[in-house]
C-alpha cells in the first residue's frame, strides 16, 4: 500500500450546520491529544461524538505535518474489511495480502492524525488494528469515536455527555445554555424568524429537559416545528418517549432517552413513511432514488408513491439528501442511529427477508447493467457510480453469500464487477468475493462459468497464476459443455494473459489472437479491446512490429465508442511501439497524454504509463529521471493491487533500463533516485511525470532528511544487516520484536529499491567508503 492522491485533511466533511457549545470538551480533547496517542470519545448514539471529533481535528490539524484523515466506519458491516477501509481513508487501495502490515509500514515514519469514526460495531477488530499501528508508528495519533471503549493499553477516554440543560429554577439563564441554543438555531433553520423569548422559553426548556440534552433528539424535535407547535411537541413527547426500548427496564437511561426520541419521530410519520423508513434501512451508505423505489415499493406502496414519501422523510430529517445531488440523480442516506432503528423495525417483520432479497436483486441487475454497458461514453460515470454503491454492493454480496439470500445472484454480482474490482483498486476484495461465491455455488451453471474466468483473471493480476489456471481449466470444460463462443474467448484471453505474465510470449500471442477472434464473433467490444491491447504487448515484447496494428485498432475502438476509462491502456499500447521503434520523445508524449486522461483512481493505468516513461527516458539519456519514474511506478503498482510489474517481460525491460542507468550515473545516484521516486505521493508522481511544478502543498510527507531516505533507526538496522546479522539477531541487539525488525528491513529494501540483504550490505559499504 502506498501514499494517496491527496491529503484528505482537505476532504474532511464540511459543516453544513453551526457547531454549538462543547467548549470544555474541545479544550480537554486538544490537551489529551497533545499528551496521549489514542483518545476515544465515548457516549451514547446521537450525543454528537462525530461532530466534536471533526471540530477537534479542525483545531489541531496544523500540528500534524503529514495530514489528518477520517475513516468512517458506520457503513462497515464486515470487520475483516476494516484494514482495507482505513487504508482507503488514508488514500491507499487494497493492494496487499497483509493490509495491517502494509498500513503500519506506510505510517511508520509519519506524523499524522487518524480519526476512526463509529467504532462500536467493530470494536474488537479496531482494538487489534490500533494496537498494531501505534506500536509501529511513533508519530501516529488516533482519535476514535465509539459507544464504548476500545480497551487497549494507553487508551485515554473522554466521555461525551449530553449538552447541559438549565434546571427549572434557572430559567433566566437558558439563553446561554448549549441545548437551548442548539434548539433555537435548528428551529430557526426550518421556521424562519423563530427565536427564544419570554413567551416560549419555558416550553423550549421543558423539551430539552425531556430529551436530556441529546443533540440528535433536540434536532429532531426542532425540525418538527415545520408542522407542530411547541405544545404539540411536548404532548407527543409525553406519549412516545419510551418506544424504542419498550419492555427493557434494565437499559441505561441514555439509551431509553434516545430511543424515545427516535420512537417519537417514528410515530410522527405516516404508516407509509414508517414502512419506507424500515425498508430503506437495509441500504448502507448512500443510495439513489431508483434503488429506493425498487426496494421500498410493494406491499401496498406503489412505485410512483416513493418520491413523495422520500421527500417526507427528508423533511422529517429521517433521510439526508447528499449535497450537490438533485432530481433523479439525488442520493440519500440515513445517519447510522436512525438506520439502526429502522432495522429494529424491519428485522422482526415478515417482510424483512423479502426487502433484503429486493435489495440483492436490485444490485445484481445494476452490476449486470454495468457489465453490459461499461464500454462506451458512460464508462467514467459508471465507474463513479459503482464507487458510490460500493458499500451497498458489499451488503448485497454478504446477504447472498451468508446463507440468507440468493447465493447465485451474489455470484453474478461479483463476476459482473470484474472491471470495477480492477479499475478501482479492489482486486483482492473482488477475488475474495468470487472465491466465496464459487464455494457456495458448485452447480455447473453459466453463472459459475462466468465467475470462474473472472476469478481466474483476478488471480493472474494478483500474482496467483497457478490457482487461476485451475479455475480456467474448469471454465474451459463448461465453455465446451454450453457451446459458448464468448466463454471460449474469455478462457483464451485469461490463458493468454497468464502466459504473457510467465514470459511465454509465443503461446500468449496465439491465445490472445484466438481471444480477439472469439470476442469478435460474440460481439464483445470490451473483450476485443482488452485482448488487442494484451496482444500488442505480447508482440512488442517479441520484437514483432505487427502488434502496432492491434494497438491502433484498440485505440480506434476506444475513440469510436467514447470508452475514456479504457483509452489510457490503448494509448500505452500505441506508445510502447513508438518506444520500441526508438521514437522516445513521441512515446513519452503519448504516455503523458494517457496520464492526463486516465480516470483519477485507476492506479494500474498510471503505473503502466510511469514505467513506459522510464523506458523512454532511458532512450533519451535522462537516467536520474529513469530512477524516479521507476520508483513512482512501484508506488502506483502497489496502490493498484495488480502485480503486472512482476511479469517477466515487464521485469526484464525494467531491469535492462535500470542497468543502463546504473552504468551511466552509478549505483548510488540511481538508488537515490529510485528511493526518491518511491517517496512520491500520487500527485507528486503525476506532476513529475508530466514535468509540471509539484503540488503547492504536497499531500504526503517529504522524503526524510536522511541518507537514502532512511530514518535514523533504519540506518542503524542497515548497518547491522551489513554486519551479517539475521532479523532475530537484530531484534535481540536492539531489544525489539523480531516482527518489528523484519518490518524495518522490508522498508529499507523498498526505499532503496533493493531485493536482497546483500544489496543493503553493499550500499552501506559504499556509504562508508565515500566517507
Amino acid at each position: 500500500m502506498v501514499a494517496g492522491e491527496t491529503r484528505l485533511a482537505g476532504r474532511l466533511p464540511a459543516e453544513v450546520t453551526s457547531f454549538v457549545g462543547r467548549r470544555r470538551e474541545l479544550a480537554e480533547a486538544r490537551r489529551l491529544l497533545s499528551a496521549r496517542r489514542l483518545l476515544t470519545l465515548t457516549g451514547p448514539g446521537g450525543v454528537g461524538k462525530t461532530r466534536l471529533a471533526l471540530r477537534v481535528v479542525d483545531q489541531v490539524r496544523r500540528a500534524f505535518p503529514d495530514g489528518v484523515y477520517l475513516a468512517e466506519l458506520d457503513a462497515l458491516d464486515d470487520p475483516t474489511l476494516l484494514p482495507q477501509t482505513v487504508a482507503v481513508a488514508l488514500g491507499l487501495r487494497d493492494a496487499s495480502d497483509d493490509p495491517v502490515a502494509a498500513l503500519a509500514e506506510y505510517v511508520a515514519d509519519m506524523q499524522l492524525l487518524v480519526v476512526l469514526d463509529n467504532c462500536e460495531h467493530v470494536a474488537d477488530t479496531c482494538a487489534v488494528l490500533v494496537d498494531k499501528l501505534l506500536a509501529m508508528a511513533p508519530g501516529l495519533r488516533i482519535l476514535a469515536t465509539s459507544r464504548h471503549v476500545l480497551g487497549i493499553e494507553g487508551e485515554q477516554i473522554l466521555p461525551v455527555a449530553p449538552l447541559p440543560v438549565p434546571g427549572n429554577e434557572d430559567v433566566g439563564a437558558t439563553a446561554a445554555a448549549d441545548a437551548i441554543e442548539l434548539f433555537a438555531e435548528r428551529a430557526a433553520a426550518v421556521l424562519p424568524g423563530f427565536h427564544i423569548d419570554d413567551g416560549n422559553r419555558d416550553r423550549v426548556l421543558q423539551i430539552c429537559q425531556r430529551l436530556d440534552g441529546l443533540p440528535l433528539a433536540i434536532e429532531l424535535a426542532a425540525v418538527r416545528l415545520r408542522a407542530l407547535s411547541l405544545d404539540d411537541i411536548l404532548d407527543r413527547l409525553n406519549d412516545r418517549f419510551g418506544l424504542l426500548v419498550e419492555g427493557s427496564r434494565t437499559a441505561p437511561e441514555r439509551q431509553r432517552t434516545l430511543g424515545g426520541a427516535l420512537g417519537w419521530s417514528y410515530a410522527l410519520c405516516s404508516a407509509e413513511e414508517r414502512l419506507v423508513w424500515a425498508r430503506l434501512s437495509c441500504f448502507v451508505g448512500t443510495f439513489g432514488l431508483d434503488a429506493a423505489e425498487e426496494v421500498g415499493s410493494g406491499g401496498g406502496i406503489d412505485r410512483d408513491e416513493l418520491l413523495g414519501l422520500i421527500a417526507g422523510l427528508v423533511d422529517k430529517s429521517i433521510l439526508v439528501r447528499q449535497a450537490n445531488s438533485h432530481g433523479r440523480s439525488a442520493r440519500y442516506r440515513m445517519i447510522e442511529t436512525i438506520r439502526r432503528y429502522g432495522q429494529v423495525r424491519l428485522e422482526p417483520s415478515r417482510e424483512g427477508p423479502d426487502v433484503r432479497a429486493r435489495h440483492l436483486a436490485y444490485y445484481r441487475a445494476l452490476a449486470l447493467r454495468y457489465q453490459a454497458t461499461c464500454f462506451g461514453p458512460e464508462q467514467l460515470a459508471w465507474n463513479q457510480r459503482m464507487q458510490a454503491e460500493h458499500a451497498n454492493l458489499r451488503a448485497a454480496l454478504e446477504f447472498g453469500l451468508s446463507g440468507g439470500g440468493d447465493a447465485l445472484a451474489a455470484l453474478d454480482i461479483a463476476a459482473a464487477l470484474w472491471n470495477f474490482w480492477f479499475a478501482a483498486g479492489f482486486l483482492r476484495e473482488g477475488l475474495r468475493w468470487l472465491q466465496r461465491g464459487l464455494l457456495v455455488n458448485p452447480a455447473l451453471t453459466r453463472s459459475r462459468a462466468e465467475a470462474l474466468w473472472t476469478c481466474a483473471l483476478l488471480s493472474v493480476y494478483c500474482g496467483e497464476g497457478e490457482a487461476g489456471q485451475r479455475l480456467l481449466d474448469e471454465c474451459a470444460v463448461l465453455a465446451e459443455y454450453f457451446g459458448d463462443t464468448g466463454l471460449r474467448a474469455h478462457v483464451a484471453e485469461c490463458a493468454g494473459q497468464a502466459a504473457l505474465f510467465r514470459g511465454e510470449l509465443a503461446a500468449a500471442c496465439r491465445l490472445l489472437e484466438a481471444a480477439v477472434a472469439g470476442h469478435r464473433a460474440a460481439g464483445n467490444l470490451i473483450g476485443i479491446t482488452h485482448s488487442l491491447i494484451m496482444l500488442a504487448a505480447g508482440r512488442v515484447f517479441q520484437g514483432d512490429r505487427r502488434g502496432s496494428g492491434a494497438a491502433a485498432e484498440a485505440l480506434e475502438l476506444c475513440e469510436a465508442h467514447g470508452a475514456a476509462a479504457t483509452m489510457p491502456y490503448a494509448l500505452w499500447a500505441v506508445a510502447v511501439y513508438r518506444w520500441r521503434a526508438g521514437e522516445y520523445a513521441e512515446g513519452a508524449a503519448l504516455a503523458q497524454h494517457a496520464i492526463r486522461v486516465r480516470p483519477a483512481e485507476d492506479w494500474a493505468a498510471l503505473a503502466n504509463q510511469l514505467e513506459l516513461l522510464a523506458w523512454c527516458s532511458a532512450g533519451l539519456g535522462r537516467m536520474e529521471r529513469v530512477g524516479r519514474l521507476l520508483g513512482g511506478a512501484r508506488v502506483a503498482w502497489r496502490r493498484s493491487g495488480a502485480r503486472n510489474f512482476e511479469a517477466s517481460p515487464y521485469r526484464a525491460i525494467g531491469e535492462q533500463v535500470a542497468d543502463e542507468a546504473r552504468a551511466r550515473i552509478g549505483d548510488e545516484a540511481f538508488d537515490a533516485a529510485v528511493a526518491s521516486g518511491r517517496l512520491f505521493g500520487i500527485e507528486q508522481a503525476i506532476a513529475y511525470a508530466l514535468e509540471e511544478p509539484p503540488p503547492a502543498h504536497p499531500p504526503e510527507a517529504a522524503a526524510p532528511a536522511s541518507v537514502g531516505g532512511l530514518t535514523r533507526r533504519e540506518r542503524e538496522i542497515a548497518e547491522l544487516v551489513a554486519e551479517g546479522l539475521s532479523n532475530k539477531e537484530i531484534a535481540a541487539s536492539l531489544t525489539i520484536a523480531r516482527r518489528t525488525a523484519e518490518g524495518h528491513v522490508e522498508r529499507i529494501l523498498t526505499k532503496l529499491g533493493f531485493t536482497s540483504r546483500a544489496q543493503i550490505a553493499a550500499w552501506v559499504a559504499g556509504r562508508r567508503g565515500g566517507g
Side-chain angles (χ1 to χ4, degrees):
M1 292 185 178
V2 293
E5 182 182 6
T6 59
R7 176 175 285 175
L8 295 187
R11 292 185 178 177
L12 293 174
E15 292 184 338
V16 296
T17 57
S18 59
F19 185 87
V20 176
R22 301 295 193 192
R23 286 176 289 276
R24 183 193 65 79
E25 292 94 335
L26 285 168
E28 183 68 357
R30 292 196 303 269
R31 184 186 69 78
L32 292 172
L33 265 181
S34 69
R36 301 295 182 96
R37 297 181 58 212
L38 169 61
L39 173 61
T40 303
L41 306 182
T42 63
V47 79
K49 300 182 293 293
T50 298
R51 287 294 301 270
L52 177 60
L54 293 176
R55 178 54 67 99
V56 170
V57 164
D58 187 63
Q59 293 182 351
V60 304
R61 63 199 306 168
R62 292 179 182 231
F64 299 92
D66 296 317
V68 293
Y69 300 82
L70 171 66
E72 295 173 297
L73 307 182
D74 55 346
L76 181 65
D77 287 328
D78 183 355
T80 65
L81 294 174
L82 175 65
Q84 291 89 335
T85 302
V86 176
V88 171
L90 267 69
L92 315 179
R93 283 294 181 268
D94 91 317
S96 171
D97 290 328
D98 188 353
V100 176
L103 268 172
E105 176 185 350
Y106 174 58
V107 301
D109 300 315
M110 301 178 75
Q111 294 182 352
L112 72 163
L113 173 63
V114 176
V115 180
L116 301 179
D117 189 36
N118 288 310
C119 300
E120 55 269 3
H121 59 301
V122 288
D124 291 343
T125 309
C126 265
V128 173
L129 177 63
V130 167
D131 195 41
K132 289 183 178 179
L133 292 181
L134 291 175
M136 292 289 289
L140 170 67
R141 275 174 166 70
I142 291 177
L143 176 60
T145 73
S146 180
R147 296 186 186 185
H148 54 78
V149 300
L150 298 184
I152 63 175
E153 185 178 355
E155 181 182 24
Q156 176 66 54
I157 308 301
L158 178 59
V160 181
L163 294 171
V165 181
N168 287 323
E169 73 285 352
D170 194 20
V171 173
T174 58
D178 291 340
I180 304 299
E181 182 183 354
L182 177 63
F183 186 96
E185 290 202 16
R186 299 301 185 263
V190 299
L191 191 67
F194 179 87
H195 63 277
I196 304 293
D197 58 26
D198 292 339
N200 62 24
R201 183 175 288 115
D202 182 64
R203 283 169 291 173
V204 172
L205 174 60
Q206 290 181 56
I207 290 171
C208 292
Q209 288 174 331
R210 293 292 186 91
L211 298 176
D212 281 355
L214 283 164
L216 174 59
I218 290 171
E219 291 185 338
L220 288 171
V223 166
R224 298 285 72 79
L225 286 176
R226 289 190 183 115
L228 301 174
S229 69
L230 290 171
D231 288 331
D232 290 333
I233 291 173
L234 276 170
D235 290 340
R236 290 171 183 269
L237 281 175
N238 287 333
D239 294 337
R240 303 289 187 240
F241 206 48
L243 185 61
L244 183 58
V245 291
E246 183 177 352
S248 177
R249 300 298 183 185
T250 61
E253 176 63 28
R254 66 179 184 272
Q255 291 183 8
R256 283 188 276 149
T257 301
L258 181 60
L262 290 174
W264 159 73
S265 189
Y266 184 82
L268 288 177
C269 295
S270 68
E272 292 80 6
E273 286 173 337
R274 295 176 199 172
L275 189 55
V276 172
W277 178 351
R279 290 174 177 177
L280 298 188
S281 70
C282 72
F283 287 101
V284 184
T286 67
F287 54 90
L289 180 59
D290 57 340
E293 290 174 336
E294 188 71 24
V295 175
S297 61
I301 297 179
D302 293 337
R303 187 184 180 99
D304 58 9
E305 293 181 80
L306 256 294
L307 180 58
L309 291 170
I310 286 173
L313 291 174
V314 171
D315 285 342
K316 293 178 176 65
S317 297
I318 306 305
L319 285 177
V320 178
R321 181 171 58 80
Q322 194 174 44
N324 302 316
S325 68
H326 307 279
R328 299 301 302 181
S329 298
R331 294 190 68 80
Y332 304 90
R333 69 176 300 163
M334 292 182 189
I335 65 171
E336 188 62 14
T337 303
I338 291 176
R339 188 176 82 87
R340 297 290 183 185
Y341 181 83
Q343 289 181 319
V344 168
R345 293 287 172 172
L346 177 66
E347 296 303 341
S349 69
R350 289 179 297 176
E351 72 165 18
D354 291 337
V355 170
R356 294 197 176 278
R358 291 202 297 272
H359 181 274
L360 173 60
Y362 173 82
Y363 283 100
R364 175 183 181 273
L366 182 70
L368 292 175
R369 196 160 77 248
Y370 162 77
Q371 182 184 41
T373 61
C374 70
F375 189 81
E378 299 299 317
Q379 197 173 51
L380 291 178
W382 264 117
N383 286 350
Q384 293 166 358
R385 169 76 181 276
M386 303 315 278
Q387 287 273 13
E389 299 285 8
H390 192 186
N392 276 302
L393 290 165
R394 282 175 169 174
L397 285 163
E398 184 61 41
F399 174 68
L401 297 179
S402 62
D406 185 345
L408 197 61
L411 184 64
D412 287 339
I413 293 174
L417 293 177
W418 67 269
N419 202 29
F420 168 72
W421 303 128
F422 180 83
F426 296 112
L427 276 172
R428 291 207 170 272
E429 180 182 339
L431 185 59
R432 287 191 294 272
W433 288 123
L434 284 159
Q435 289 168 340
R436 281 184 62 184
L438 287 168
L439 190 63
V440 299
N441 287 285
L444 302 182
T445 62
R446 287 182 182 272
S447 291
R448 180 174 177 84
E450 293 287 341
L452 283 166
W453 74 257
T454 304
C455 194
L457 182 67
L458 298 193
S459 297
V460 169
Y461 279 123
C462 288
E464 300 176 9
E466 186 175 338
Q469 187 57 55
R470 291 194 296 271
L471 297 166
L472 274 185
D473 290 343
E474 182 183 346
C475 188
V477 172
L478 289 180
E480 295 308 316
Y481 174 77
F482 291 120
D484 192 308
T485 300
L487 281 176
R488 293 190 188 104
H490 282 302
V491 170
E493 181 184 354
C494 294
Q497 292 198 43
L500 181 59
F501 273 47
R502 294 191 300 269
E504 300 168 5
L505 299 179
C509 290
R510 286 195 301 273
L511 287 163
L512 290 166
E513 286 170 354
V516 171
H519 286 313
R520 286 193 203 281
N524 184 346
L525 287 173
I526 196 167
I528 296 169
T529 307
H530 283 186
S531 297
L532 285 170
I533 291 168
M534 298 309 298
L535 177 59
R539 284 179 172 165
V540 79
F541 294 140
Q542 281 184 308
D544 185 347
R545 287 196 55 81
R546 289 181 302 159
S548 62
E553 184 183 353
L555 183 57
E556 288 170 4
L557 284 169
C558 291
E559 291 173 339
H561 294 276
T566 306
M567 190 173 296
Y569 295 94
L571 284 167
W572 177 89
V574 173
V576 79
Y577 277 89
R578 299 292 181 89
W579 162 76
R580 178 60 82 184
E583 300 171 4
Y584 305 122
E586 292 83 352
L590 282 170
Q592 288 175 327
H593 176 59
I595 290 174
R596 290 188 178 96
V597 302
R598 60 173 268 279
E601 296 188 350
D602 191 338
W603 316 120
L606 175 62
N608 270 317
Q609 309 305 335
L610 291 174
E611 290 230 0
L612 179 53
L613 278 172
W615 303 350
C616 292
S617 295
L620 294 168
R622 305 176 67 183
M623 298 307 181
E624 182 177 339
R625 182 169 168 80
V626 170
R628 287 175 179 258
L629 287 166
L630 288 176
R634 186 58 57 88
V635 168
W637 280 125
R638 293 178 65 189
R639 171 63 108 45
S640 75
R643 308 299 287 269
N644 302 43
F645 63 92
E646 293 182 351
S648 58
Y650 292 90
R651 189 173 64 246
I653 294 174
E655 290 172 353
Q656 176 186 338
V657 166
D659 288 344
E660 292 173 7
R662 289 180 186 278
R664 290 279 297 276
I665 65 175
D667 289 345
E668 185 174 335
F670 179 75
D671 291 340
V674 172
S676 176
R678 288 194 175 193
L679 291 171
F680 280 152
I682 292 296
E683 279 192 344
Q684 292 169 299
I686 290 172
Y688 185 77
L690 299 179
E691 301 185 81
E692 295 176 348
H697 301 286
E700 290 78 35
S706 56
V707 178
L710 303 185
T711 63
R712 182 181 304 171
R713 174 64 97 180
E714 288 165 351
R715 294 200 305 275
E716 183 180 15
I717 289 176
E719 293 280 350
L720 296 177
V721 170
E723 293 173 13
L725 273 67
S726 67
N727 288 339
K728 182 178 180 180
E729 291 167 335
I730 291 171
S733 174
L734 299 177
T735 319
I736 59 177
R738 180 173 179 175
R739 180 63 183 269
T740 301
E742 292 171 351
H744 280 302
V745 172
E746 286 299 316
R747 281 195 294 279
I748 293 167
L749 291 168
T750 298
K751 287 183 177 181
L752 297 181
F754 295 160
T755 58
S756 71
R757 298 169 77 93
Q759 288 174 296
I760 295 176
W763 180 81
V764 170
R767 296 297 308 173
R768 291 170 177 166

